Each structure stands twice: as structure tokens, then as C-alpha cells.
Amino acid sequence: MCSQTLLKISKVSKSFGATKALKAVDFDLLKGEIHALAGENGAGKSTLMNIIDGILQPDSGDIYINEEKVTISSPAEAQKLGIGFVHQEIALCPDISVAENIFMAQTNASKSLLMNYSNLHDRAREVFAKLSPIDPATMVRELSISNQQLVEIAKALTLDCQILILDEPTAALTEKEAQILFGIMKSLAATGISIIYISHRMVEIFDNCDRVSVFRDGAHITTDFVKDITPDDVVNSMVGRVITDLYPPKQTTEEKSEEIIFEACNYNETSWFRDISFALKKGEILGFSGLIGAGRSEIAKGICGLEGDVTGELKLDNVTLSINSYQDSIANGIVYLSEDRKGDGVFLDMSIAANISALDVDRVSTSAGFIDKDQELSQARELGDRLNLKRGHITHSVSSLSGGNQQKVAIAKMLSIKPRIIFLDEPTRGVDVGAKSEIHKILRDLSREGVGIIVISSELPELIGLCDRVLVIREGTIGGEVTGDAMTEENIMHLASIAQSDPILMQTAQGGRA
Amino acid sequence: MSNAVDSGHRLAHEMGFISRLRRIAAMRETALVLIILALFIAMSFASPYFLTWLNMRAMAMAFAVEGIVVVGMCVLLISGGIDLSVGSIVTFSMVLAGWLFLQGVDPWTASAIAIVACAAVGAAMGYCVTKIGLHHFIVSLAFMVIFRGVCLLITQGRPLGLFTLPAEFKFIGQGSIGAIPVVIILFFVIVVAFDFLLRRSTVFRKVFYTGSNEKAAAYSGIRTKKVIFLSTVLCSTMCGIAGVIYMARFSSAPPYFGLGMELNVIAAVVIGGASLQGGTGTILGAILGVILLSVVTSSLALLDVSSYWQDIIRGSILLIAVIFDHYMNKKKAAS
Amino acid sequence: MSNAVDSGHRLAHEMGFISRLRRIAAMRETALVLIILALFIAMSFASPYFLTWLNMRAMAMAFAVEGIVVVGMCVLLISGGIDLSVGSIVTFSMVLAGWLFLQGVDPWTASAIAIVACAAVGAAMGYCVTKIGLHHFIVSLAFMVIFRGVCLLITQGRPLGLFTLPAEFKFIGQGSIGAIPVVIILFFVIVVAFDFLLRRSTVFRKVFYTGSNEKAAAYSGIRTKKVIFLSTVLCSTMCGIAGVIYMARFSSAPPYFGLGMELNVIAAVVIGGASLQGGTGTILGAILGVILLSVVTSSLALLDVSSYWQDIIRGSILLIAVIFDHYMNKKKAAS
Amino acid sequence: DAGESKFACEPGETYIMNVMVSGHPYWVPVFQGYKQAGEAMGCKVIFSGTPDYDITKQIASFEQDLAKRPAGILLHPMNADPFIEPINRAIEGGTTVVTFAADSPKSNRVSYITSDNLAEAKYAADEIAGLMDHKGKFAVLENPGQSNHDLRITAFLSYMEKHYPNMKLVGRQATNQDATKAYTSVSSMLQAHPDLGALWIPEAGSAEGAVQAVLEAKAKVIIMHADISPVTREHIKAGNIHQALSPNQGMQGYMGFMLTFMAKHPDLIDPFNDYKRTGFNPMGVPFVDNGFAVVTKANADDFDLGAYMKNRSAN
Ligand SMILES: Nc1ncnc2c1ncn2[C@@H]1O[C@H](COP(=O)(O)OP(=O)(O)OP(=O)(O)O)[C@@H](O)[C@H]1O
Ligand SMILES: Nc1ncnc2c1ncn2[C@@H]1O[C@H](COP(=O)(O)OP(=O)(O)OP(=O)(O)O)[C@@H](O)[C@H]1O
Ligand SMILES: [Mg+2]
Ligand SMILES: [Mg+2]
């Protein structure tokens, strides 16, 4: 590998009001390398990427590409310099077809007067042949979040770029798609394209990247070759202390109880799932695993009365409940944490405090129905501190927080009502290692206190590390269950894809690994 | 440890007097009060008649009843909706109550019926929006046209003369308690009540959640459709109340009343800081918005500005007010 | 291997005649054509004069010039904007061109100046929106008021009589080529050109991208501010063109022209399938929308329906059209 | 005593003319007449009102006028009854009020001056019926809600029905002074009734659109309308519009001023009645007719407002 420096960041600083997001940061990217970027939530990773892509302007500092000083005033400018960017937050045009979304940048740069739709569709189909089967003619608004994430990736892959930035692209992806992506990344790097890869998952970094830079509190801490260090070193420099146990201890045999606190029987939904029955025992954390589109989210939403045309029977502490709406569900203490934080998890332009009390405002109000501001603020501070929320003023809007911290606000909202059963759909998406282990610890504590915890996650190590038992969902039914030592990635993947019949996916998945 | 210290610091800072003062200074309401004050000072130099009791009364009477509609519109805009039909609904309320009165119905009963009818119209609009799934803009546009027609039909195109309304009823619109007109007292009570409710009540907080992110609100267990439905009904009900007060004030029900009221009312609410995207806004701001617009109109009339220039100046003031406010807010965000 | 076969299959399916037919049937435009046809059939039973060439011509003349404004508004709505000032700007164009002509300027030059002036007004609005960051709704509301005032100022409140316009100029508005009025030919050319451009040209696709998700478009390197700016300018320019044609047609420039035009135009575009949130819409749909509204109005007049009922019926038709369309679309989504 | 009182103003004595839609050209000659009379008598005159078609705004401007403590106001009330209370309050406060072109009859206003809308309607009906040999189809456009426009139509229709039973009303559309609306309505009317003989229109705005529709349909329709605009004046000269009935605006303003002044100075008159003793204002003449002019091809040039104003400012 030649070690020519393609991109060099020198002493870049950026503040948002009183928040210093970046403090005189240095960073360099070599030609053809996959360079990982790690750091806690709010460390400034996305901010730096936004500066490189011309979305934000630095307050001070310089950027060099091929040793030449550049000013990048807009994404259009960045494109001309050969920079491609997959954003942490999905930004696609919902009313436009997948194909047009993917080639939006080309359309923009194109000199031809007229659109050539069939050409776009053919090329889009080619891209997806490598990635995952998505029909290029569908409107983006009809896709699930994970498929939208794939479209985002496809969009970046088609750019004719020399620097590709991927900001937590795998947060919404399952193992399978992630592996495909890594395959593609490696082949791109082999052709001399440099990749900046942001992730909170150490395994991904150590399996796929060449170097890793660590950021903390807006400052650059270290850059090392991954072969020279261990994941613990990275976590150490990220958090500034040693995190010994990434996952909290599981249920011990003594703690095991046969008492069933929550039971779902014969759940069916007209199009998304059928014959779903499971029980949750006291003190255990249950996981849901499966491939993209398997229907995990739909099951959770269906049970909570949020979506779908659902039939089934529900028992909480052996009492049969009838849940017709999410309000009934909340009234019984059953809540759902959405996987789509920005879309339906938080109120971006409202204050942190108002976000946290949204699930049940009556908790922070007087008997006459008026909000007690002090109570609302102290509830928010308390939960925020408990989740280690990195924030400005508690009345600032959620839009001023980094992605991971927004996720913490969404979780704080769930905890505010002291729920009985929580469905957490991708609860640690975009959350840093430190906070993630905090969240895991909190979940474990809650389950000890008797709260039922059901975690949906696309990250297999998380499910294996956290859960006591994992149900594998396959095409809308429960495809199997693993527990104890049988909880391995291989077993889960096997159960998840056993009936997987899509030839394209199988073929490319194998090709990607080869 | 350092965590606790840190949050202790933060607490102290949040409670601080200076920070509170700074927050007040950065508020949109403060900006509006300053603009209005500046206008008052300039006007009292420009015209000796400006700071007279008669002129103040005339100016207050000009916006008081419309202010009640502004309250309804403000809530609706916060919920993420909009209502172009307010002018027609106000007129419908006047015309229906007036017509019933002429048919021999007691004016109080007639008024109650008219207000309920307006609420029902709001419910119909709310139904179209929440159950059918249409957009507020287009639904209320259709209702604006339909109810203008209904008003014409009821009145056969001519203003209803309601001179025979009993004095106790006219008192609402024309009487005074002490030196202060009843209309202004009513306006004041409604504004203060709703300002408080919107800031503090849990019920109205749900309007903010719904307007800010309807889906997130639904995922927080809020019956967002109900919230939107009720906000629509509230706005129409306020129109109904305003209509009845107008009837008492004018002893008349002209079918062509309130033309263009919707734009004035929406402009006021937006000047007052509400976003057309929903989720933000205050009653106080909206009322200051309507006061600003009204004071400008009145000042121009008082100064005998050529009518050709009045529109130009009024439009420019609207523009300048939003630009000014925009920069104020930007500065606030930056500091 | 199987990959190629599969995608070949899919391709064949997509190209399939039946699927194409089905897609056409599900389109909003088809629904509108059906509604308009139904109206035509009903009307030709109700009145023997309806299906005459003269009546068709008169109906077409009634919406042709407004149709040009509809084109501009459609593009602007797709980009995510809105313009309440269209009525004022159309009038401004008429009044300015007329005034210049009365000052001795050649009418063609006067018209060109008026159109450029309208474009400049659009640029000013676009500036407020894209550079300052204000909302289209409030900016165009202010401009609506300001330019109504400007029109009054130029005309001193009275319509400018332009009887002396040369015949070649009046020809644009009053002449015919063969049996077809020039106005209708102009309208047709503009509509066909823009419909094609909006569907196929890369430049106008950017308008869709920007309106659908401004951030996503910006991340793809599209200069979204420029797109929004130019859409605003385009809409005002279309108003300018429409104004000049109106002037040629009426040989007059009344300062109170086009009141309420904005609502009619927006209603037409929305009936035609554009979303007020931006990102969707077609010129063909918008034009069918304006035709529907216009045919209803003409039919009511032809049947001499009491003017009190006309508003009620027109409003209801607007409502029914959007409800009908909504259910059509739902069915499409479900199938 | 009588020897001291003059037919003139005290210094600073102010008279205001208050209207709605103050940008409308109709008010221009009215105010010119008002001003001519006022200046001749050494009074200060002010033109006031609201540019909008909005009763609330007009009342606000009227009440603000009162803050200036004027001697009198010549008022065109947009609606009759809403002005009762403000007019009465004005009079109690010492400002006298006279109405013009539209009235508020139940108020205590002293007088009312207008052109006789009934006479206009009667003239129009006779003229149209005469030209059509007392038989055939006619239609009207209207502007419901504005009392003088309403009168012009209702009086026309009832007079037609009573005196010319063979004349048939085939269309009645509200076009609200909007040229485009009038264009559409008249186009449709002409399709339904290609043999339409005549149109009576209560104002000039609708007439502008109507004449366009008639010209485009190449129909032969006798168009008559009330008021006059530069555009309809041109059409009269070109023979496209038969006649217009223009109220004597100048006289309306001039006499309107006199009425207002006299109402403020009732002591100048010693009438032969009981008014003074019983507390009525002796100036309380219920109604003054300022008359109207018939605008034809021959005299149309005398109704050029631009030329009139040029002339006025030259003097
Ligand atoms: N628009 C903004 N306004 C105010 N503060 C901001 C804004 N954007 C980012 N910040 C702040 O800047 C800091 C860095 O944020 P950034 O998004 O770069 O973090 P990150 O490293 O990408 O975190 P994550 O892993 O959670 O995505 C945070 O403290 C965040 O709150
Ligand atoms: N709004 C929607 N419109 C159309 N299809 C949808 C919608 N939401 C979900 N789906 C589809 O429903 C199926 C089940 O989706 P669901 O979100 O439950 O999957 P999942 O297992 O949670 O996976 P992931 O969340 O990773 O996509 C998928 O095929 C998905 O594409
Ligand atoms: Mg980030
Ligand atoms: Mg999911």
C-alpha cells in the first residue's frame, strides 16, 4: 500500500454557540486506506465530516487535498473534489424513485438536457445486484428504514469519488448487509479510493479497517494502525478510562425464575406476521433477531397497538389485556422505543425536557392539569444524568444534540413513565461504547427490578452479549429460539436465513465474502 | 463525583437571574413589544391625536374581536394546521345568529346556536382532515367558499338589520364597564386565559407535540388525530364567538364581512413567532402581532397617508417585522 | 445468471401493456379527465348550448390566461414554495405596461419591461426566502399587499383605458388564427412545453428533488437555494406574461384585477395532484384542475344558478374533487 | 347674535370626508366638490377612510377621525346599522354627521345626499325597453350587499316587470365589480341566450368584463351601466356600450359639504317650523338628490377624470 496523503485536516475548529464541537483537530487520510473514526457520542465526528463535505464551514483551520489547500463551500464543491458522503441521518427524497435518488448527484452534474429514465433504472438495478434486491422504480417513502439506509449507501457507491465517507452506515443494517458492504469497501479501497468509516462497533473496525483515529470532546486523541492495538486501547482513549465489562453480567441460575410476567399468544397481522407466541419470564432480557424486513419491528408495534391490523391475546402478570391502541398499551405500562429516532422518536425543535416528559405529561403536572415546570426540568435532568446525556441547557432543543445523545433522550422518555414492559427497537443505534454499556446496564437493572425487557437489534454481538434468550424472526414467523451457549452468531444467522430463497442475495453474499 | 459537581453548576446557572433576564430579552415577544413601543413614540410625535383616549380606544376596538380569532388560529397553527375559512365562519356566525333572532329566537339562544353551529363546521373540517386525510389548506379553502355562499343564501345578499336587538345584548358589543368597553374586557380575559393554558396545561402541551412531530407524538401515545380535530373545532368555535360579539357590536350581519380576515390573522400569528410548520408559537406573540398590524393601519389612517401608499407601507412593515425578528432569533441562536 | 433472467422478467413485466394501462388508470390526471367528462355529459343534457363551439371557446378563454399563472404556481409548489402574490403581480404587469404605453412607450417594449419587472419582483421574493430565510407564505403575503398598493399608486386608483393600443398588439389577446384564439394557442404552447420539461428535463427534476427533501437534494450537490429562487422568479415571470396578455385582451388595466386569484390558482394545482409540502405535482394535472374549476363556474352561469348557490356548489365541488382523488390514490396504493 | 355669525369657518374648523375602499376613483370628484366648497368657506378639509373593503377598519378610521375633534364628517357608511352607534356617539361628542351615496337611516345623522338610484333604474329600464320595442330578453349583473347597487337592480327589475311585461329577465348573476367574473358570466349567458337583447349593470367594473364578452361573441347587446370608468368611457365612444348613468359626484361632494357645514351651524337658519323648539337640527333634510348625468358618445369626453384632475390642479 502506498502511503500518499490524500486528505489532510489541519487545526480545524468549529463551535455551535457555546459548544466547542471541534478543537484544533488534525487528521490525515492516506490513499487507498480504510480509516476508522471512533469516539463517544458528541465527540465531533459528524461535524468534521460535515466540514469535509462542505455542509459546515470551519471557524478556523485548513483542509488540504493532495497537498493543495482547498475551501469547500458546499456539497457541490465537495463533489467536484471527489468526496462522497453517506450521512448518519438518512436524507432521501421520499416522493422520488429509488433510481433517481441514487443518481441525483449525476443528474445534477449532467450536461444532457433530458432525463434518461430507463438508463437510470438499469444502472440502479446493477448497483443493487451487488447489494440487496430493491426495485429501483419504487418510491423511497415506501421503503423501510434499513432499505433506505441501503439506498443511501448505493448512492455513495455510484459516486465517482476518491474519498468516501461512511457515517455509521451499518447502524440500521443486519450482519448480512453489513458484510456485503465491507466486501464492497475493500474492493473500492483496492482500486485506490480512500474511505473514512465511522462506527461505534469495535469488531467492524478491527475486522475491516487499516487505521483508526479516536476523538474525544472535540479533540483528536490518537491515530494508530489497527494491527498495532486492541479494541480495549481504542475504548480506553475514547472514554478516557478503561471499560472492563462491555456487557453487564447475565441472569445467574439462582436468579432464573419461571414466573411469566408477559405473554403474547397467537398474534397475527394480515400482511406482516403470523402465529407469533412467546413468553417473557421475570428477570430475563429477551432478544428479537432476524434479517432486514423479517418483521421484528412490525411485531412489536402490532402488540403495542401502534400499527397494523392485529389479532392476538396478551397477558400481563397472567391478566388478559385487550389492547386496541397505543394509549391502552401505555396505560398498562407497555411501551415501544422506535427504531426511527428522527422520524418518530424525538421532537427535534422542542426542548430536551419537553421531549422526555412527552409520554405522560401528567406525571409532571399538578392535579389541576397544569405542568409543573420545575418537576419537568428535574425529571429531565435526573434521567439525562442517569443516561450520561451530553447536553447544553436542559431547555435547549433536541436538534442541538449529537445523534447518539438524541437516542438517549428517546430512551429517557421511555424510562420516564416507569414502564412494565419495554420493547426497544435498535436501542443503541448510533450510541457510543460507553453510553451503550450504560444503557445495557440500565436495561439489566430494570429487568432485575421486574421490568420486562424485549430488545430488537440488528447487531448480533449486542443481542448475544445482552440477552438471556433470543427469538429469531424469519419472514414474519418465529423461526427458532436460542439460549445459553447456543447463542452464537452462526446459530442465529442460520435460523434467520434457513429458508432464505432469494438467489441474488445468496449469490452476492457468497461472492462478497470470497 | 465530577458529574454531580457539574450538574450542580448547571443548575445554578439555569436558575441565575442574569440568564433569565437574557432569555427574556431574546424572546420574540420582547422584540415585538419594542417595535410597538417605538411606533407609539414615533406616532405621538407625528400626531397630537395619537396618544388620546379616543384614539387608543378606537385602535383597541379595531383588533379586539379579531384577536379572539387570532387565539384560535394560533392554536391551530401550533397543531400544524391552518384555516383559511375564518372570515367566512365569523360571518356565518353573525348571519345565523342574526337570522334566528329575526325569526323570533331569543338573542342569547340564537348566539349559542350560532356558536355551536360554528363548532360543528369546525368538526366537519376536522373530519375531512383527520378521518379522510386531506390537507387543512385545501379543506378550509373549500369551506371558505361554501360558507360565504351560505351567508349569502341566508341573508339573500343583503345585510341583516338587527337594530331591534335588546340593549342587554348590545351591551356585549357596545357597552362599557367603567371607561373600558366590554369587548376589550372579553378580549383580555380570553387572551390571558389561553396564554396561560397554552404555556402550562398538559392538554395544550399535546398540541405542541402533535405540531412538532405528529408521528413522534403518536408514538408517545398522544391521540394526534383527536388533537388536530379539536384544534380545528376550537378555531371555528372562536370564530363563532367573535361573530356573535361582532353582531352585538354592529347590530347588523353583513354577508360580506371578514373578507381577507384569514390572511391578516395568519400574518399576525406568524409575526408573533408561530411557525407555519407547526410546533411553535405563543398566544402573547400572536396578539402582539395583531396589535402591531392594527397600530400600523390606524397610524396610517390617522396621518392621512394617501390610500395608495397605505398598502405599500403596511406590506413593508409586515416584511420588515418578520425580517427583524428573524435576525433577532439568529442572534439569539448564535449567542 | 438467475440474476439476469430475473431482472429480464421484471423488465418485461414493467414494459407490459397491461401494467402501463393500469398505471395510467391510477393516475390523478385520468381521474380528473373522467370527472370533467362526466360534467360535460351532464351539462350537454342540461343545456343545448353547452356543447357548441362558441361555448367551448368562451370557457377556454375563461381559464387560458389564468392557466399560465397555474403553470408557474405548479412549479413553485413542487419546489416546496407558495405564492400568494400572483393576483397582485398579474395586475402589476398590466398596470405597468399600460402606464408605460400611455407615457408613449411602444407597447411591445412596455410589455417586455413589465415582464422583466415582474421577474425582478419574483427575485426580490426569492431573495427574502433563500438569502434571509423567511417563509414563502409570509413573504408573498407581504408582496401581495405591497404590489396591490403599487398598482393603485400607478393608476391613481382608476383603470387605465388602453383603447388606443395598436391592433397588432391587441391581436395577442383578441385575435384568432383560423378559428382558434391566439390566447388559447399561447396557453397550449406554454402548457405543453412546461409539461414536457417538468417530466423530462434534468433542470426541472431538480425542482422535484428540492421540494421533496431539500436537505437530501443539497447533499447531492444541488444548489437548492438557487432552485427555489429560480422557481419563485419563474412564477412571477409567468404572472408578468399573463398580465400582458390580459392587457391586450381587455385593452384596459384595472388596479383591482385578480383579487383572490391566488386561492383559485392554488386550488387548481392542488386538485391537480401537487402537494403543498412540495415534491409532487404535474402541469397536466394542474391544468386539468383549473379546467375543472372553470367548467363548473361556466356551467353554473349557463344554468343561471342563483349566485348565492354558486359559491356553495363551487366550494363543494372543490371538496368532492379532492376527496374523490384521495380515495382513488388510496386504492392505487393498496392495489 | 345673528349679525356676528358668518357663512364661513372659524380658524382650524375641520371637516372630514370618510369612505371605504379609499383608493376607488369614484371618491375623487366627490372630494374635489367637497374641497371646493370647504376652501371657499375657509375650512380645513381632510379625506379619510380605509383602503379596504372592511367594516371594522372603516369604523376604526371613523372613530380615529373623532379623535381629531372635527366639526363634521361627510360619511359613506359601508353598512348601515354598524354605524348607528358610532354616528350617534360622534354627534353626542359634538361632531355632526351627514351620509352620502349610502345611508345609515336609523342613526341620528343629520342628512343624506345621493343620486336617486330609483330614478337611475327607471331611466335605464325605459331606455332599454324603448330601444327594444318593449319586448325581448334582458339580463342583469349585480353586486349584492352594497345598498346603492342593490337598489339599482331591484328597482330596475320591479319597474321592468310592472311596466314592460313582454320584457323577459333571462339572467341574474353576481359579479361583484370583478371584470373577469363578469366576462365569464356574460359569456355563459350569451351561450344560453344568443338572442339576449340588453344588459343592465349597476357599476363600471363588471361592465368592463361584460362588454369584452359581448364583443368576443360578436353579439348585439344593448349595454347600460351606472357610474363610469376610463375603460367604459372608451367603449361608449366606440359604441360598444350604449350609455352610462353617472351620478353627479362633484355636486354630491359640494352639496355634501354644505349640508355638513349647515348641520354644524344650525343657528344660521331660522326655519319656519318647530325644530328649534323641539330640539331637532333644523338642517335635518331627510334626503338630497344630487342628480345624475347620462354619458353618451356625444358627451363622453366631459367624463375624463384625468383631464378633470389636470384642470383642477392647474387652477
Ligand atoms: N447544529 C448544531 N447546533 C448546536 N450544536 C451542535 C450542532 N451539531 C452538533 N452540535 C454539537 O456538536 C458536538 C459534536 O456533534 P457531532 O454530531 O459531530 O458528534 P458525533 O461525534 O458525530 O456523535 P454521534 O456518535 O452521536 O453521532 C455535540 O456536542 C453536539 O451537541
Ligand atoms: N410503511 C411501510 N410501507 C411498506 N412496507 C413496509 C412499511 N413498513 C415496513 N414495511 C415492510 O414490512 C416488512 C417488515 O418490516 P419491519 O420493519 O418489521 O422489519 P424488521 O424486521 O424490523 O427489519 P428492519 O427494521 O431492519 O427493516 C418489510 O418487508 C418492510 O419493508
Ligand atoms: Mg455523528
Ligand atoms: Mg425494524
Side-chain angles (χ1 to χ4, degrees), chain C residues 31 73 107 123 200 261-262:
Chain C
M73 182 72 87
R200 298 294 307 280
M261 183 189 275
E262 64 283 359

PDB file of all heavy atoms in Angstrom, chain C residues 31 73 107 123 200 261-262:
ATOM      1  N   ALA C  31     -58.315  10.507 -13.430  1.00  0.00           N
ATOM      2  CA  ALA C  31     -59.481  10.775 -12.588  1.00  0.00           C
ATOM      3  C   ALA C  31     -60.089  12.116 -12.958  1.00  0.00           C
ATOM      4  O   ALA C  31     -61.312  12.243 -13.120  1.00  0.00           O
ATOM      5  CB  ALA C  31     -59.062  10.760 -11.122  1.00  0.00           C
ATOM      6  N   MET C  73     -47.261  28.582 -10.742  1.00  0.00           N
ATOM      7  CA  MET C  73     -47.547  28.182  -9.359  1.00  0.00           C
ATOM      8  C   MET C  73     -47.256  26.701  -9.157  1.00  0.00           C
ATOM      9  O   MET C  73     -46.774  26.296  -8.099  1.00  0.00           O
ATOM     10  CB  MET C  73     -49.015  28.474  -9.044  1.00  0.00           C
ATOM     11  CG  MET C  73     -49.413  28.154  -7.634  1.00  0.00           C
ATOM     12  SD  MET C  73     -48.734  29.322  -6.435  1.00  0.00           S
ATOM     13  CE  MET C  73     -49.987  30.588  -6.460  1.00  0.00           C
ATOM     14  N   PRO C 107     -45.844  49.532 -27.219  1.00  0.00           N
ATOM     15  CA  PRO C 107     -46.469  48.526 -26.347  1.00  0.00           C
ATOM     16  C   PRO C 107     -45.649  47.254 -26.185  1.00  0.00           C
ATOM     17  O   PRO C 107     -45.707  46.603 -25.150  1.00  0.00           O
ATOM     18  CB  PRO C 107     -47.808  48.236 -27.029  1.00  0.00           C
ATOM     19  CG  PRO C 107     -47.666  48.726 -28.421  1.00  0.00           C
ATOM     20  CD  PRO C 107     -46.707  49.858 -28.371  1.00  0.00           C
ATOM     21  N   ALA C 123     -37.644  37.922  -8.019  1.00  0.00           N
ATOM     22  CA  ALA C 123     -36.284  37.804  -7.495  1.00  0.00           C
ATOM     23  C   ALA C 123     -36.207  38.376  -6.081  1.00  0.00           C
ATOM     24  O   ALA C 123     -35.542  37.809  -5.207  1.00  0.00           O
ATOM     25  CB  ALA C 123     -35.307  38.521  -8.420  1.00  0.00           C
ATOM     26  N   ARG C 200     -39.395  15.628 -18.146  1.00  0.00           N
ATOM     27  CA  ARG C 200     -38.213  15.044 -18.744  1.00  0.00           C
ATOM     28  C   ARG C 200     -36.913  15.803 -18.535  1.00  0.00           C
ATOM     29  O   ARG C 200     -35.845  15.186 -18.576  1.00  0.00           O
ATOM     30  CB  ARG C 200     -38.448  14.854 -20.255  1.00  0.00           C
ATOM     31  CG  ARG C 200     -39.591  13.896 -20.598  1.00  0.00           C
ATOM     32  CD  ARG C 200     -39.263  12.462 -20.164  1.00  0.00           C
ATOM     33  NE  ARG C 200     -37.983  12.027 -20.686  1.00  0.00           N
ATOM     34  CZ  ARG C 200     -37.775  11.590 -21.907  1.00  0.00           C
ATOM     35  NH1 ARG C 200     -38.786  11.511 -22.746  1.00  0.00           N
ATOM     36  NH2 ARG C 200     -36.584  11.225 -22.294  1.00  0.00           N
ATOM     37  N   MET C 261     -57.202  35.653  -6.892  1.00  0.00           N
ATOM     38  CA  MET C 261     -56.691  34.723  -7.908  1.00  0.00           C
ATOM     39  C   MET C 261     -55.799  33.653  -7.282  1.00  0.00           C
ATOM     40  O   MET C 261     -55.837  32.488  -7.675  1.00  0.00           O
ATOM     41  CB  MET C 261     -55.900  35.502  -8.967  1.00  0.00           C
ATOM     42  CG  MET C 261     -55.395  34.643 -10.104  1.00  0.00           C
ATOM     43  SD  MET C 261     -54.257  35.556 -11.174  1.00  0.00           S
ATOM     44  CE  MET C 261     -55.394  36.365 -12.285  1.00  0.00           C
ATOM     45  N   GLU C 262     -55.006  34.041  -6.275  1.00  0.00           N
ATOM     46  CA  GLU C 262     -54.052  33.105  -5.683  1.00  0.00           C
ATOM     47  C   GLU C 262     -54.749  31.844  -5.174  1.00  0.00           C
ATOM     48  O   GLU C 262     -54.264  30.727  -5.377  1.00  0.00           O
ATOM     49  CB  GLU C 262     -53.251  33.772  -4.554  1.00  0.00           C
ATOM     50  CG  GLU C 262     -54.021  34.236  -3.325  1.00  0.00           C
ATOM     51  CD  GLU C 262     -54.798  35.533  -3.523  1.00  0.00           C
ATOM     52  OE1 GLU C 262     -54.735  36.103  -4.626  1.00  0.00           O
ATOM     53  OE2 GLU C 262     -55.482  35.960  -2.582  1.00  0.00           O
TER      54      GLU C 262
END
